[in-house]
Amino acid sequence: MANTTDFTGQSDDQLAESLGNLKREQFNLRFQAATSQLEKPSRVREVRKDIARIKTLQAQRNAAAAAK
């Protein structure tokens, strides 16, 4: 994923797939950090924030769908 990924243009299925990919990457980064093999420590924060962005967008879409 790019640093400035825009998730608003993605469909619900694409968001779910992106979330799964980011969670896998987060797990791998945590594993690398535990074994002192982490090359880019700032990526941990980026991934965490991207996960939060996707979850927020999903919650907004669910609230909008429930309001209709």
Side-chain angles (χ1 to χ4, degrees):
M1 296 264 132
N3 291 347
T4 56
T5 304
D6 186 21
F7 296 110
T8 56
Q10 293 185 359
S11 69
D12 291 339
D13 291 337
Q14 289 172 326
L15 280 178
E17 183 180 339
S18 295
L19 183 61
N21 291 338
L22 285 169
K23 284 186 177 257
R24 271 192 296 282
E25 183 178 355
Q26 183 183 37
F27 174 80
N28 291 332
L29 288 171
R30 276 187 290 165
F31 191 83
Q32 289 174 10
T35 58
S36 301
Q37 296 176 347
L38 193 58
E39 294 179 15
K40 196 172 173 189
S42 62
R43 185 66 183 145
V44 175
R45 174 179 269 177
E46 293 170 8
V47 169
R48 192 172 64 233
K49 287 187 176 191
D50 282 346
I51 289 172
R53 285 184 187 106
I54 290 175
K55 286 186 174 186
T56 300
L57 190 55
Q58 287 176 331
Q60 288 172 346
R61 289 182 181 182
N62 288 339
K68 288 185 180 180

